[in-house]
Short mmCIF file of all heavy atoms in Angstrom, two decimals:
data_model
loop_
_atom_site.label_atom_id
_atom_site.label_comp_id
_atom_site.label_asym_id
_atom_site.label_seq_id
_atom_site.Cartn_x
_atom_site.Cartn_y
_atom_site.Cartn_z
N ARG A 1 12.95 -4.87 -9.53
CA ARG A 1 12.00 -4.43 -10.56
C ARG A 1 11.08 -5.57 -10.96
O ARG A 1 9.89 -5.38 -11.14
CB ARG A 1 12.75 -3.89 -11.81
CG ARG A 1 13.66 -2.75 -11.57
CD ARG A 1 13.09 -1.38 -11.21
NE ARG A 1 11.70 -1.15 -11.34
CZ ARG A 1 10.94 -0.57 -10.39
NH1 ARG A 1 11.45 -0.20 -9.25
NH2 ARG A 1 9.67 -0.34 -10.59
N LYS A 2 11.64 -6.77 -11.10
CA LYS A 2 10.81 -7.94 -11.44
C LYS A 2 9.81 -8.23 -10.34
O LYS A 2 8.65 -8.55 -10.60
CB LYS A 2 11.69 -9.16 -11.70
CG LYS A 2 12.44 -9.09 -13.01
CD LYS A 2 13.29 -10.34 -13.20
CE LYS A 2 14.06 -10.28 -14.50
NZ LYS A 2 14.92 -11.47 -14.68
N MET A 3 10.27 -8.12 -9.09
CA MET A 3 9.38 -8.36 -7.96
C MET A 3 8.23 -7.36 -7.98
O MET A 3 7.06 -7.72 -7.83
CB MET A 3 10.15 -8.25 -6.64
CG MET A 3 9.30 -8.42 -5.40
SD MET A 3 10.03 -7.68 -3.92
CE MET A 3 9.74 -5.94 -4.21
N VAL A 4 8.55 -6.08 -8.17
CA VAL A 4 7.53 -5.03 -8.19
C VAL A 4 6.52 -5.29 -9.30
O VAL A 4 5.30 -5.12 -9.11
CB VAL A 4 8.17 -3.63 -8.33
CG1 VAL A 4 7.15 -2.57 -8.67
CG2 VAL A 4 8.89 -3.28 -7.03
N ASN A 5 6.99 -5.73 -10.44
CA ASN A 5 6.09 -5.99 -11.57
C ASN A 5 5.14 -7.15 -11.31
O ASN A 5 4.09 -7.23 -11.94
CB ASN A 5 6.90 -6.25 -12.85
CG ASN A 5 7.55 -4.99 -13.36
OD1 ASN A 5 7.08 -3.88 -13.12
ND2 ASN A 5 8.65 -5.15 -14.07
N ARG A 6 5.48 -8.04 -10.39
CA ARG A 6 4.62 -9.18 -10.06
C ARG A 6 3.58 -8.85 -8.99
O ARG A 6 2.66 -9.64 -8.76
CB ARG A 6 5.46 -10.35 -9.58
CG ARG A 6 6.26 -11.04 -10.66
CD ARG A 6 6.83 -12.37 -10.18
NE ARG A 6 7.48 -12.30 -8.87
CZ ARG A 6 8.78 -12.13 -8.68
NH1 ARG A 6 9.59 -12.00 -9.70
NH2 ARG A 6 9.28 -12.10 -7.45
N ILE A 7 3.71 -7.72 -8.32
CA ILE A 7 2.78 -7.39 -7.22
C ILE A 7 1.40 -7.09 -7.82
O ILE A 7 1.25 -6.21 -8.65
CB ILE A 7 3.29 -6.18 -6.41
CG1 ILE A 7 4.61 -6.53 -5.73
CG2 ILE A 7 2.24 -5.74 -5.38
CD1 ILE A 7 5.29 -5.34 -5.06
N ASP A 8 0.41 -7.85 -7.37
CA ASP A 8 -0.94 -7.65 -7.88
C ASP A 8 -1.85 -6.90 -6.91
O ASP A 8 -3.05 -6.83 -7.11
CB ASP A 8 -1.57 -8.98 -8.29
CG ASP A 8 -1.69 -9.97 -7.14
OD1 ASP A 8 -1.25 -9.65 -6.01
OD2 ASP A 8 -2.20 -11.08 -7.37
N LEU A 9 -1.26 -6.34 -5.88
CA LEU A 9 -2.02 -5.50 -4.94
C LEU A 9 -1.76 -4.05 -5.31
O LEU A 9 -0.62 -3.66 -5.56
CB LEU A 9 -1.55 -5.75 -3.50
CG LEU A 9 -1.79 -7.15 -2.95
CD1 LEU A 9 -1.08 -7.32 -1.61
CD2 LEU A 9 -3.28 -7.40 -2.80
N PRO A 10 -2.78 -3.22 -5.34
CA PRO A 10 -2.58 -1.81 -5.69
C PRO A 10 -2.01 -1.02 -4.52
O PRO A 10 -2.18 -1.41 -3.35
CB PRO A 10 -3.99 -1.33 -6.03
CG PRO A 10 -4.87 -2.17 -5.14
CD PRO A 10 -4.20 -3.52 -5.10
N PRO A 11 -1.36 0.11 -4.79
CA PRO A 11 -0.89 0.96 -3.70
C PRO A 11 -2.02 1.37 -2.75
O PRO A 11 -1.80 1.52 -1.55
CB PRO A 11 -0.31 2.18 -4.42
CG PRO A 11 0.09 1.66 -5.75
CD PRO A 11 -0.95 0.63 -6.10
N SER A 12 -3.21 1.49 -3.29
CA SER A 12 -4.37 1.90 -2.47
C SER A 12 -4.78 0.82 -1.46
O SER A 12 -5.63 1.06 -0.61
CB SER A 12 -5.56 2.25 -3.36
OG SER A 12 -5.96 1.10 -4.11
N HIS A 13 -4.18 -0.36 -1.54
CA HIS A 13 -4.49 -1.44 -0.60
C HIS A 13 -4.34 -0.97 0.84
O HIS A 13 -5.13 -1.34 1.72
CB HIS A 13 -3.57 -2.63 -0.87
CG HIS A 13 -3.91 -3.86 -0.11
ND1 HIS A 13 -5.07 -4.58 -0.32
CD2 HIS A 13 -3.24 -4.52 0.87
CE1 HIS A 13 -5.10 -5.62 0.50
NE2 HIS A 13 -4.00 -5.60 1.23
N PHE A 14 -3.36 -0.12 1.08
CA PHE A 14 -3.13 0.38 2.45
C PHE A 14 -4.27 1.28 2.94
O PHE A 14 -4.48 1.40 4.14
CB PHE A 14 -1.81 1.15 2.52
CG PHE A 14 -0.61 0.27 2.36
CD1 PHE A 14 0.13 0.30 1.19
CD2 PHE A 14 -0.22 -0.59 3.37
CE1 PHE A 14 1.24 -0.52 1.03
CE2 PHE A 14 0.89 -1.41 3.22
CZ PHE A 14 1.62 -1.38 2.05
N LEU A 15 -5.00 1.89 2.03
CA LEU A 15 -6.09 2.79 2.42
C LEU A 15 -7.27 2.04 3.03
O LEU A 15 -8.13 2.65 3.66
CB LEU A 15 -6.53 3.62 1.22
CG LEU A 15 -5.44 4.48 0.57
CD1 LEU A 15 -6.00 5.21 -0.64
CD2 LEU A 15 -4.82 5.44 1.56
N ASP A 16 -7.31 0.72 2.84
CA ASP A 16 -8.38 -0.10 3.41
C ASP A 16 -8.10 -0.53 4.84
O ASP A 16 -8.95 -1.13 5.48
CB ASP A 16 -8.61 -1.35 2.55
CG ASP A 16 -9.12 -1.01 1.17
OD1 ASP A 16 -9.80 0.02 1.02
OD2 ASP A 16 -8.83 -1.78 0.23
N PHE A 17 -6.91 -0.23 5.33
CA PHE A 17 -6.53 -0.65 6.68
C PHE A 17 -7.08 0.34 7.71
O PHE A 17 -7.21 1.53 7.44
CB PHE A 17 -5.00 -0.73 6.80
CG PHE A 17 -4.44 -1.95 6.14
CD1 PHE A 17 -4.72 -2.25 4.82
CD2 PHE A 17 -3.61 -2.80 6.83
CE1 PHE A 17 -4.21 -3.38 4.21
CE2 PHE A 17 -3.07 -3.93 6.23
CZ PHE A 17 -3.37 -4.21 4.92
N PRO A 18 -7.38 -0.15 8.90
CA PRO A 18 -7.99 0.70 9.92
C PRO A 18 -6.99 1.56 10.70
O PRO A 18 -6.90 1.46 11.93
CB PRO A 18 -8.68 -0.31 10.84
CG PRO A 18 -7.80 -1.52 10.75
CD PRO A 18 -7.30 -1.56 9.32
N PHE A 19 -6.24 2.40 10.00
CA PHE A 19 -5.32 3.30 10.68
C PHE A 19 -6.12 4.40 11.38
O PHE A 19 -7.06 4.95 10.80
CB PHE A 19 -4.38 3.98 9.66
CG PHE A 19 -3.28 3.10 9.17
CD1 PHE A 19 -3.39 2.44 7.96
CD2 PHE A 19 -2.12 2.93 9.92
CE1 PHE A 19 -2.36 1.63 7.50
CE2 PHE A 19 -1.09 2.13 9.47
CZ PHE A 19 -1.21 1.47 8.25
N LEU A 20 -5.75 4.71 12.60
CA LEU A 20 -6.37 5.85 13.29
C LEU A 20 -5.94 7.14 12.61
O LEU A 20 -6.71 8.09 12.53
CB LEU A 20 -5.97 5.86 14.76
CG LEU A 20 -6.55 4.72 15.60
CD1 LEU A 20 -6.01 4.80 17.03
CD2 LEU A 20 -8.06 4.77 15.60
N ASP A 21 -4.71 7.16 12.13
CA ASP A 21 -4.18 8.31 11.41
C ASP A 21 -4.15 7.95 9.93
O ASP A 21 -3.26 7.22 9.48
CB ASP A 21 -2.78 8.65 11.93
CG ASP A 21 -2.14 9.82 11.21
OD1 ASP A 21 -2.69 10.31 10.20
OD2 ASP A 21 -1.06 10.24 11.66
N GLN A 22 -5.11 8.42 9.17
CA GLN A 22 -5.21 8.08 7.76
C GLN A 22 -3.97 8.53 6.98
O GLN A 22 -3.65 7.97 5.94
CB GLN A 22 -6.47 8.69 7.14
CG GLN A 22 -6.81 8.18 5.76
CD GLN A 22 -7.10 6.69 5.71
OE1 GLN A 22 -7.43 6.06 6.71
NE2 GLN A 22 -6.95 6.10 4.56
N GLY A 23 -3.27 9.51 7.51
CA GLY A 23 -2.04 9.97 6.88
C GLY A 23 -1.00 8.87 6.78
O GLY A 23 -0.19 8.86 5.84
N MET A 24 -1.00 7.95 7.73
CA MET A 24 -0.06 6.83 7.69
C MET A 24 -0.35 5.93 6.49
O MET A 24 0.55 5.53 5.76
CB MET A 24 -0.11 6.02 8.98
CG MET A 24 0.46 6.73 10.16
SD MET A 24 0.34 5.66 11.62
CE MET A 24 1.34 6.58 12.77
N ALA A 25 -1.62 5.64 6.28
CA ALA A 25 -2.02 4.81 5.14
C ALA A 25 -1.67 5.52 3.83
O ALA A 25 -1.19 4.89 2.88
CB ALA A 25 -3.50 4.50 5.21
N GLU A 26 -1.90 6.82 3.79
CA GLU A 26 -1.59 7.58 2.59
C GLU A 26 -0.09 7.60 2.32
O GLU A 26 0.34 7.53 1.17
CB GLU A 26 -2.15 8.99 2.72
CG GLU A 26 -3.67 9.02 2.70
CD GLU A 26 -4.26 10.34 3.15
OE1 GLU A 26 -3.51 11.28 3.50
OE2 GLU A 26 -5.51 10.43 3.15
N GLU A 27 0.71 7.67 3.39
CA GLU A 27 2.17 7.65 3.22
C GLU A 27 2.61 6.31 2.64
O GLU A 27 3.46 6.27 1.74
CB GLU A 27 2.86 7.88 4.57
CG GLU A 27 4.37 7.79 4.49
CD GLU A 27 5.05 7.92 5.84
OE1 GLU A 27 4.43 8.38 6.80
OE2 GLU A 27 6.24 7.55 5.91
N LEU A 28 2.05 5.23 3.14
CA LEU A 28 2.43 3.91 2.63
C LEU A 28 2.02 3.76 1.16
O LEU A 28 2.78 3.24 0.35
CB LEU A 28 1.78 2.81 3.48
CG LEU A 28 2.27 2.73 4.93
CD1 LEU A 28 1.44 1.73 5.71
CD2 LEU A 28 3.75 2.42 5.01
N ALA A 29 0.83 4.23 0.81
CA ALA A 29 0.37 4.16 -0.58
C ALA A 29 1.28 4.99 -1.48
O ALA A 29 1.63 4.56 -2.60
CB ALA A 29 -1.08 4.63 -0.68
N ALA A 30 1.68 6.16 -1.01
CA ALA A 30 2.57 7.02 -1.81
C ALA A 30 3.93 6.35 -2.01
O ALA A 30 4.50 6.40 -3.11
CB ALA A 30 2.73 8.38 -1.12
#
């Protein structure tokens, strides 16, 4: 929980990656 609270990257960070299948990025963000 402490580690998660220190993460300064948003879940949407994965949506900026060049996945051919955008569903993969969405799964990681979820």
Side-chain angles (χ1 to χ4, degrees):
R1 301 290 349 133
K2 287 180 181 178
M3 177 202 75
V4 167
N5 289 334
R6 288 192 313 265
I7 296 172
D8 60 359
L9 296 171
S12 62
H13 188 66
F14 291 107
L15 302 178
D16 295 331
F17 284 54
F19 283 98
L20 291 176
D21 179 352
Q22 191 62 21
M24 290 180 169
E26 292 166 359
E27 177 184 344
L28 295 173

